[in-house]
Amino acid sequence: MTMPEPTPAPPPATPTLRQTVPADLPFAVRPAGAWRHILHHRRGELVVLVLLALFMLPVGVYMLLHSGETVHSNRYGNMNSGLLGGGALLLVIGLGVSLPITAGRQLRNVPLAADAHGVYVRPNLDAKRVLHLPWEHIESIYVRDWHGPQLCVKPRDARIEPQFNLAKQGDASARAGVVVAQKRRMKKLGTNVHVPIATAGQTPDELLAGLRYQAAGRVPVGS
């Protein structure tokens, strides 16, 4: 009688990219409050909006009140003051409305969840990508500060990091600013895989405790 062939062990779990976080996982970060998110994590945009409003609103109102006048531009010639004033006001109103709307969209999807098999995370609230890291592929989990408190999930494989670098957009000056911001982020956080938690509804210690329970000693959490 021959011995049966041993059943091959399943292949080890590997990091994967997905589009959604599975529902009903035992641990999940559920942020809420668009304006609170803006105050903690998008404060720079809010400051720019306030400064723009302080300049554009008085100018726009003045131009509307003197709509019979014209404003000369070397490029466009004479332009109606009322139209320029209305455009300035619409610009400020549009930016003021779009900021909380985009913040609300960021918070609509679960940014991080975990179970006994690993962690699902939307790095920096990525709209289209969810990174699934099995516990054996996580180096450590901790909380640091960069534009507000961030829950960081550092992968063991450094090759995962570059795909979540800050996107370079705009002209050369803007791209150079992104490079500086990326270096500062890595210095502050040590990883690109993180989510903002100022509006999570739980304290950082409570979040770390929940992840520590799911990790079951396989990953240092909170160190």
Side-chain angles (χ1 to χ4, degrees):
M1 182 176 179
T2 59
M3 297 294 293
E5 291 292 330
T7 303
T14 58
T16 56
L17 280 177
R18 309 182 180 207
Q19 291 184 327
T20 60
V21 176
D24 301 324
L25 293 183
F27 174 87
V29 177
R30 302 186 184 278
W35 279 109
R36 188 179 173 192
H37 175 75
I38 291 169
L39 288 173
H40 284 86
H41 299 293
R42 298 177 63 176
R43 195 176 304 165
E45 296 172 66
L46 181 61
V47 170
V48 170
L49 175 61
V50 170
L51 293 176
L52 186 64
L54 289 175
F55 173 75
M56 297 291 285
L57 288 178
V59 171
V61 171
Y62 176 84
M63 287 183 172
L64 282 176
L65 293 176
H66 298 79
S67 58
E69 301 178 1
T70 58
V71 177
H72 180 74
S73 168
N74 292 332
R75 183 173 183 178
Y76 299 106
N78 292 329
M79 296 178 291
N80 182 271
S81 179
L83 291 176
L84 288 177
L89 294 178
L90 287 175
L91 174 63
V92 174
I93 293 171
L95 292 174
V97 171
S98 66
L99 185 57
I101 288 177
T102 56
R105 287 177 177 172
Q106 282 186 314
L107 303 179
R108 182 173 55 190
N109 298 315
V110 174
L112 186 146
D115 60 9
H117 303 290
V119 175
Y120 298 83
V121 55
R122 294 183 179 275
N124 203 23
L125 300 180
D126 194 296
K128 299 180 179 179
R129 294 179 297 177
V130 174
L131 175 63
H132 177 234
L133 285 173
W135 288 111
E136 58 267 31
H137 289 272
I138 299 174
E139 181 177 315
S140 60
I141 297 176
Y142 48 88
V143 173
R144 296 289 186 273
D145 187 81
W146 181 76
H147 297 299
Q150 305 282 340
L151 182 58
C152 305
V153 183
K154 185 175 178 62
R156 292 186 182 275
D157 189 349
R159 293 173 298 180
I160 293 174
E161 297 282 358
Q163 62 188 313
F164 298 112
N165 283 350
L166 296 175
K168 297 179 182 179
Q169 297 178 344
D171 57 18
S173 177
R175 292 195 297 271
V178 171
V179 171
V180 172
Q182 173 61 37
K183 290 181 178 178
R184 184 170 179 265
R185 172 165 76 161
M186 290 300 293
K187 182 178 179 180
K188 288 276 190 177
L189 304 182
T191 181
N192 287 327
V193 184
H194 62 89
V195 295
I197 56 171
T199 63
Q202 296 169 281
T203 67
D205 287 343
E206 290 171 336
L207 294 174
L208 291 173
L211 286 167
R212 192 176 296 115
Y213 178 81
Q214 297 299 326
R218 289 168 287 181
V219 172
V221 178
S223 57

